[in-house]
Amino acid sequence: METETRDITITDIRKLLDEVTDPEIPVISIHDLGVLRDVRKEGDTFVITITPTYSGCPAMDMITLNIHGKLRAHHIPHFKVETQLAPAWTTDWMTDEGKRKLKEFGITPPMGSKGSEDLINRHPPCPFCNSENTELVSAFGSTACKALFRCRDCSEPFDYFKCH
Amino acid sequence: MHGDNTTDYLLFLADSSLIMGQRLSEWTGHGPMLEQDIAITNISLDTIGQARYFYQLAAKRQNEKAGGSEVTEDTLAYLRDAHQYRNLLLTELPNGDWGQTILKIYFYANWQKLIYGKLIYTSDKDIAAIADKALKEVQYHVNWSSDWVKRLGDGTAESHERMERALEYLWPYTGEMFMETDYESPQFERDKDFSLDTIRKEWTEEVYHTLQEATLTLPQADTFMHKGGKKGVHTEYLGYILAEMQFLQRAYPGCEW
């Protein structure tokens, strides 16, 4: 049975989308990540706008697919997902809740404001022991959005979410 | 081929980034150490991602003009032959050793940084949006590759010698980046401050600075330079890249994962 579109609100859609997570970081929703830019209604159709984190990020196709899956499973009859490039995604759009969840997951959230940064002179705190005695291993990590660091105190390697 | 300047320019940007990324992807699993293997494949992923946006936009513009929908990012990447590709010759050259690949990335990323840095102000909002996105990524490529150029150039006797050889080989392919073609000029006319000559000066200054720090011999700026890529006249290497990259779509048209 299909639900009538007029009974569904944008808030309902947003609630459902809160359950769509980043496929690489399953603890953080696309809203917390700042990838979900807008939900609006055009006539009968909900238009969901997402923005990519990095150009080559393979997660974008997966996220689009997961949004379709989630909304279809809840019998949302009319919707479309649009990708928008401008303004370009920045880590500033990540919510505080998102940053907290990232740290819990073992990834140090982005520090400071957007813009390219001098990674070598940066010491993001270790997500495991909070020490700032850390060093850069590589500016490129396990995914396009992360850099690889090492903690000199607890010796754990860890991912740092790069500022953009 | 398409006769539309903006579309040709988009294809030039897309093809250059795609071929760059495709070439770099050959390093996957072959990097000198795990972290650097990951770095170079990340850079490859970034450039292929940038190529996708330019192809998507080129496809959209071509379809709007023709009133159809048959052109897609995939038909542009997989179903055009070597003479239709506009990529810079630099991007199709073989990777060579690690040093040669690094130097190629450095030359290309620096050029991208300057071009995208100007394109973010272009009146074409779609192009500006892609440039804005790509610029942030390219900055990381510049930082990473310039570090390596210095480390290898000012490294051991062997690494220095290899970098000198790489420089001698790659330098004559850098001039093409600044030779203006007919499809590029209109992009620049729209933006008064945009000139390839200015870009060339900025690029050379920055590259000389890094090469100097790397204790490498500064090449002559006015030496012989290869050209042709922007016009579809390529080295023999491009055909082999396309043969490998396009095989699946040529053999099994429309095949999907």
Side-chain angles (χ1 to χ4, degrees):
Chain A
M1 189 188 78
E2 283 204 342
T3 320
E4 286 293 323
T5 310
R6 61 170 179 273
D7 298 334
I8 309 162
T9 64
I10 288 175
T11 317
D12 295 333
I13 300 290
R14 281 195 173 272
K15 241 179 224 164
L16 288 174
L17 293 178
D18 273 343
E19 294 165 30
V20 177
T21 57
D22 181 304
E24 287 284 350
I25 318 164
V27 293
I28 183 168
S29 74
I30 52 173
H31 163 70
D32 283 335
L33 192 59
V35 160
L36 179 63
R37 293 315 297 157
D38 189 38
V39 181
R40 63 180 195 280
K41 207 169 172 182
E42 282 177 8
D44 267 354
T45 307
F46 288 101
V47 183
I48 295 138
T49 310
I50 55 174
T51 191
T53 51
Y54 282 67
S55 298
C57 183
M60 285 312 286
D61 291 339
M62 193 71 195
I63 287 172
T64 306
L65 203 67
N66 289 347
I67 292 175
H68 276 265
K70 176 60 75 183
L71 297 188
R72 279 200 195 127
H74 287 82
H75 311 292
I76 308 298
H78 308 294
F79 66 90
K80 61 178 176 186
V81 181
E82 285 180 350
T83 303
Q84 175 193 312
L85 290 185
W89 178 86
T90 103
T91 35
D92 292 351
W93 294 348
M94 199 182 278
T95 64
D96 289 340
E97 177 68 2
K99 288 179 182 166
R100 191 185 59 76
K101 285 179 184 162
L102 264 188
K103 186 167 180 292
E104 262 178 30
F105 191 62
I107 298 168
T108 302
M111 300 156 66
S113 146
K114 62 184 172 180
S116 66
E117 53 188 334
D118 186 359
L119 281 171
I120 293 180
N121 295 322
R122 228 161 229 266
H123 302 283
C126 169
F128 307 107
C129 73
N130 292 318
S131 162
E132 287 182 14
N133 187 15
T134 58
E135 62 181 345
L136 178 72
V137 176
S138 172
F140 299 91
S142 57
T143 65
C145 52
K146 288 177 261 160
L148 194 59
F149 276 78
R150 181 191 301 130
C151 176
R152 291 199 194 106
D153 283 338
C154 73
S155 304
E156 280 291 330
F158 66 93
D159 270 333
Y160 165 60
F161 208 108
K162 287 189 266 198
C163 279
H164 247 208
Chain B
M1 177 182 58
H2 303 291
D4 169 26
N5 281 322
T6 305
T7 311
D8 283 345
Y9 188 59
L10 285 170
L11 287 177
F12 157 64
L13 294 173
D15 290 344
S16 295
S17 282
L18 177 65
I19 298 303
M20 188 74 189
Q22 175 73 13
R23 259 295 186 231
L24 294 183
S25 74
E26 291 171 15
W27 274 103
T28 313
H30 299 276
M33 55 193 110
L34 185 60
E35 289 79 6
Q36 303 310 330
D37 190 295
I38 290 171
I40 209 159
T41 41
N42 260 286
I43 293 173
S44 168
L45 191 63
D46 283 344
T47 55
I48 291 173
Q50 292 157 13
R52 281 191 67 184
Y53 288 133
F54 287 126
Y55 281 131
Q56 285 165 2
L57 183 57
K60 189 174 151 232
R61 296 272 169 93
Q62 282 187 20
N63 286 331
E64 277 167 4
K65 209 172 167 203
S69 63
E70 64 272 24
V71 185
T72 67
E73 53 177 324
D74 287 337
T75 63
L76 291 173
Y78 292 126
L79 302 178
R80 284 184 309 139
D81 212 340
H83 68 277
Q84 296 166 309
Y85 262 75
R86 313 274 163 136
N87 61 284
L88 294 166
L89 296 177
L90 179 75
T91 61
E92 70 199 44
L93 298 177
N95 283 331
D97 59 18
W98 181 252
Q100 187 176 312
T101 307
I102 294 296
L103 192 60
K104 184 166 80 164
I105 295 176
Y106 176 63
F107 286 161
Y108 185 67
N110 235 314
W111 173 79
Q112 279 183 303
K113 188 183 87 177
L114 294 170
I115 291 286
Y116 295 160
K118 296 283 184 199
L119 282 178
I120 56 175
Y121 301 114
T122 179
S123 51
D124 190 319
K125 294 290 169 245
D126 294 325
I127 296 181
I130 302 172
D132 195 19
K133 184 97 218 132
L135 188 59
K136 295 173 171 186
E137 296 157 2
V138 163
Q139 186 60 53
Y140 282 100
H141 306 176
V142 172
N143 293 351
W144 179 82
S145 58
S146 62
D147 278 353
W148 268 103
V149 168
K150 289 176 220 163
R151 190 187 299 191
L152 294 173
D154 192 16
T156 65
E158 176 167 1
S159 72
H160 178 83
E161 173 59 28
R162 282 179 182 240
M163 288 307 280
E164 288 282 14
R165 252 183 284 155
L167 184 55
E168 202 178 320
Y169 175 65
L170 292 174
W171 187 257
Y173 291 94
T174 57
E176 194 190 12
M177 298 192 281
F178 315 107
M179 292 177 194
E180 202 160 308
T181 54
D182 48 359
Y183 57 78
E184 278 172 293
S185 331
Q187 318 302 321
F188 307 144
E189 274 163 19
R190 239 186 338 218
D191 308 289
K192 275 183 269 155
D193 301 333
F194 198 152
S195 107
L196 275 186
D197 209 38
T198 320
I199 301 264
R200 181 179 58 80
K201 281 181 193 132
E202 288 175 34
W203 184 90
T204 312
E205 197 176 315
E206 187 140 352
V207 166
Y208 272 13
H209 183 73
T210 302
L211 293 180
Q212 217 150 18
E213 267 193 75
T215 70
L216 292 167
T217 316
L218 295 189
Q220 293 275 317
D222 54 355
T223 185
F224 167 77
M225 291 289 178
H226 294 282
K227 60 178 176 187
K230 285 179 170 182
K231 296 261 185 196
V233 183
H234 292 277
T235 68
E236 65 185 89
Y237 302 117
L238 183 64
Y240 290 96
I241 300 176
L242 296 186
E244 189 179 10
M245 189 180 79
Q246 298 182 334
F247 169 78
L248 200 76
Q249 283 305 319
R250 299 277 194 188
Y252 306 95
C255 178
E256 286 183 36
W257 287 104

